[in-house]
Amino acid sequence: MLRTYISDARDGQTAKIQGFVENLRNGKSMAFLVIKDITGTMQVTVEKEKAPHLAEIIDQLTPDSVVTVTGRVVANEYVKLNGIEMLPDEIKIESLAEALPIERKEIPATKKKKAVERSSIDQRIDYRWIDLRTDENQMIFKVQTCLLDAMRRFLLERNFLEIHTPKLIGAASESGSEVFEVKYFDRNAYLAQSPQFYKQMAMASGLERIFEVAPVFRAEKSYTSKHTTEFTGFDLEFSYIESFRDVMKLEEELLTYALGAVKERYGDQIEAMFGLPLTVPETPFPVVTLRELYDGLEKEFGYSVDESEKGDLTTEAERLSFEWVKKHYNHEFLFVTDYAAEKRAFYHMRDEKGVPQGYDLIWRGVEITTGAQREHRYEVLKAQAEEKGLAEDVKFYLDFFRYGCPPHGGFGLGVDRLTMLLLGLSIKEVMFIFRGPNRLTP
C-alpha cells in the first residue's frame, strides 16, 4: 500500500501513515498515539483488549520513535485533531528513539508537575535535527520555500536565467578583507563573499538577466542576532538599465510579489505561530537620501552622529529608521540613497558629483539589500579600483569590461535574514544549520 500523507487522510479510507510519535498515552485498556508527518498530525486509537498484538508493540514505543501505521480512518467528533482518528490494524516500529537530550518547547507547570524550561538556542542547535521536528520550525522552511519559489517565478516570467557561479575564487570578491582563505593545491584560494564579479561577467557575456541562489561566506567575527559566517544569497543582475532606480523598482516589485504569495498561503499560520502579521507592502517604496534620514532621525528622536559618520548608516540609525518610516509613510520598507563613495564598493557607478548610484533597502529596521548601477566603462572602473588599491587584485575582473559591456545593475538579498525578519526570529532560529565564529557543527 502506498503511503498517505496525514493531511490527505479522509473518513472511511484505509490508509498507511508514517511519521514520528509526537505524543503517547499508554493506559491499561486504551492507548492513544499522536503521529506527526510534515503535513500534520493524526490520533491513532488502540483498544488493547481487541488488539493484544498492537499492545505489545505500543509498550515498546518511546516519544519521537518513527512508525508506520496501517488502518481505517474514521470520523470522531470527540477527537480534537481534525475530528478524525485511525483505528490501526498494524503498527510497525521503524526506529526507536532514546530519551531526548533537549527540551524543544517550554512546558507550563501543572498541579502535579513543575514547569519545564526550553533548552537554549545553542543547546538546540547542538541537536538541530531533533529541534527541527516542531511545527514552528518546519513552518520556517515551508515559508522560505514559498518565498523563494515566488521570487524565482517572478524573475523567470521576466526572462531571467538562473546561473551558478564558483564559490572557490582566486581573489576576494569585495574588498580583500573578511574572506576565508583555503589551500587550493599549490596556492591559496578564497570562499566567495558574493557572486558579484561573475554576475557582471554574465552581463559582459550577453546573458542580460540572471539570478542565483547560492551560499555566501563572510569571515566576520560578529555575534549578533542577524550575522552569520555562511548564508544563502539571492542575487540578481540585469542589463540595459538607465539608472539605479530601475534596480530599486525591480526589487520592490519582486518583494511585493513574493510576500503576497507567502501571505496567501501561510499568512494566518504565521500570525498564529509567531504572533507577527505579514503585511504585503505597497509600491512604490519610500525613498530618502542618507542625509535626509539623519536629519529626520535627529528631529524625531534626537539621534545624531558625528559628521564623519554620516557617509554610512549606523546600526542604531537603521533601527530607528523603522519607527521613522512607519510614522511618515506608514510603510515597513525604506530605500536609502546617496552614500559616501568611500563607504561603497569600487564597482558602483558614481555621478558627476562622485555620489555612488546605489542604495540600501531597510526592512523593519534592518538592512536587507545593497543595490546599485555598476560601472561598466573600463577606464572609469579601473580608476576606481586603483583609488581603493585593488587594481592588481581584481585584474581578471577588469578584463570583463575591455571588450564591450552593457550598462547594468543589480542587488543581493540574504534569504536567511529575509526569513528572520518575516517571522520575527533570530538568524540562528531560521537557518537549517547556523554557522558563526564559534559554530562548525553539526
Side-chain angles (χ1 to χ4, degrees), residues 224-285:
T224 74
S225 62
K226 61 183 181 180
H227 284 92
T228 179
T229 52
E230 178 184 353
F231 61 89
T232 301
F234 191 105
D235 281 86
L236 65 82
E237 204 80 13
F238 61 113
S239 293
Y240 301 108
I241 66 172
E242 294 186 4
S243 85
F244 70 97
R245 296 186 185 277
D246 295 338
V247 182
M248 292 163 63
K249 185 173 188 296
L250 182 77
E251 182 168 15
E252 66 186 13
E253 290 175 351
L254 169 73
L255 288 171
T256 299
Y257 179 91
L259 291 173
V262 173
K263 184 177 179 66
E264 181 178 353
R265 186 162 184 182
Y266 294 117
D268 291 343
Q269 290 163 277
I270 289 170
E271 187 163 4
M273 287 185 177
F274 303 103
L276 191 64
L278 175 54
T279 302
V280 179
E282 294 184 357
T283 58
F285 293 0

Side-chain angles (χ1 to χ4, degrees), residues 337-351:
T337 68
D338 292 30
Y339 286 77
E342 62 268 19
K343 300 296 184 181
R344 302 280 97 167
F346 74 92
Y347 47 77
H348 286 205
M349 181 177 279
R350 302 174 191 172
D351 67 11

Side-chain angles (χ1 to χ4, degrees), residues 87-98:
L87 305 178
D89 299 315
E90 182 184 354
I91 298 175
K92 179 184 177 185
I93 299 174
E94 305 290 356
S95 173
L96 279 174
E98 297 179 18

Side-chain angles (χ1 to χ4, degrees), residues 107-277:
I107 303 173
T110 64
K111 291 181 178 179
K112 295 182 179 180
K113 293 183 180 180
K114 293 182 179 179
V116 176
E117 189 176 334
R118 188 185 193 192
S119 300
S120 71
I121 181 62
D122 288 312
Q123 290 172 318
R124 286 183 281 125
I125 291 175
D126 286 340
Y127 295 93
R128 185 62 167 158
W129 63 96
I130 300 172
D131 191 40
L132 286 172
R133 294 173 189 170
T134 66
D135 290 339
E136 291 81 3
N137 279 334
Q138 292 180 352
M139 179 55 64
I140 290 170
F141 297 99
K142 291 177 182 179
V143 167
Q144 195 174 90
T145 298
C146 180
L147 183 71
L148 285 175
D149 176 62
M151 291 166 74
R152 271 197 171 94
R153 280 189 284 112
F154 177 89
L155 295 177
L156 292 173
E157 289 168 5
R158 288 157 181 78
N159 299 319
F160 277 76
L161 303 174
E162 183 168 3
I163 65 170
H164 304 283
T165 63
K167 301 306 156 206
L168 281 169
I169 59 177
S173 48
E174 294 286 351
S175 63
S177 63
E178 298 172 348
V179 293
F180 289 110
E181 189 175 291
V182 296
K183 188 164 181 60
Y184 192 74
F185 301 107
D186 60 344
R187 58 195 183 278
N188 290 328
Y190 305 92
L191 295 179
Q193 292 168 289
S194 85
Q196 186 58 46
F197 290 174
Y198 295 105
K199 288 196 302 177
Q200 292 187 256
M201 189 187 88
M203 300 301 96
S205 304
L207 295 182
E208 293 197 10
R209 293 179 159 226
I210 62 92
F211 72 95
E212 178 176 33
V213 186
V216 176
F217 303 90
R218 298 284 168 89
E220 295 179 300
K221 281 195 173 182
S222 295
Y223 302 89
T224 74
S225 62
K226 61 183 181 180
H227 284 92
T228 179
T229 52
E230 178 184 353
F231 61 89
T232 301
F234 191 105
D235 281 86
L236 65 82
E237 204 80 13
F238 61 113
S239 293
Y240 301 108
I241 66 172
E242 294 186 4
S243 85
F244 70 97
R245 296 186 185 277
D246 295 338
V247 182
M248 292 163 63
K249 185 173 188 296
L250 182 77
E251 182 168 15
E252 66 186 13
E253 290 175 351
L254 169 73
L255 288 171
T256 299
Y257 179 91
L259 291 173
V262 173
K263 184 177 179 66
E264 181 178 353
R265 186 162 184 182
Y266 294 117
D268 291 343
Q269 290 163 277
I270 289 170
E271 187 163 4
M273 287 185 177
F274 303 103
L276 191 64

